[in-house]
Amino acid sequence: MKPQSIHNQIEEKIKSLKKGSILFIADFIEFGTAENVKKVLLRLEKKEVLIRLAHGIYLYPKKDKILGTLFPSTEEIAVAIAKRDKARIISTGVQALQQLGLSTQVPMNVVYLTDGAPRKIKVGKRTITFKKTTPKNLTIKDKKLNIIIQALKELGKENVDEIAKQKIKKVLQQMTIESLKEDSVTAPTWIRNTILELINND
């Protein structure tokens, strides 16, 4: 297969995708070797069809008349990487607090717990770190409950004030008491007790 025809097929596939899609070399491996795909993506970057977000990670950009190019959030990039790697991830630290509305700070360095490969990815000025964790930390199916547990860990037992409790309670009310009791078993005792206290206070 000639490199030109690989180029055409890859470009055609990209243009059939939704603008704002996050792309990887593996998405085009049906058209040629990783090396050839990499060369085509590089050419498409020069043609401004793609924007390179990080090593091996590209964006099919969506543009807004006022805001210009709309870049994906750190969370969207992390989720796309996890999906590609067939790995599970959990937000931690300030990122978890922000997702619950407990912090307005947008972290530049985010850490996700994962059952995939540990790695650090630099995206512009931001850093995404995937930290290997034990399967026990990934047994909780509900994503929101995972975020609550990580947010409480970040706050620490002594710093869970009334505002935090009310915001967390609002999220917990979207889940069933049975699933919360069952799923929070693997959480640290003080976190499980805090969760149970909040759902039993209705």
Side-chain angles (χ1 to χ4, degrees), residues 88-90 135-147 149 175 179-180 182-184 186:
R88 291 175 292 174
I89 58 169
I90 304 172
K136 188 184 95 166
N137 286 327
L138 294 153
T139 52
I140 296 164
K141 295 178 199 82
D142 196 294
K143 189 188 171 192
K144 286 191 182 111
L145 182 57
N146 267 322
I147 292 167
I149 291 168
M175 305 171 216
S179 70
L180 280 171
E182 193 184 315
D183 269 358
S184 60
T186 56

Side-chain angles (χ1 to χ4, degrees), residues 18 89 131 197:
K18 194 176 154 192
I89 58 169
K131 197 175 166 188
E197 179 196 317

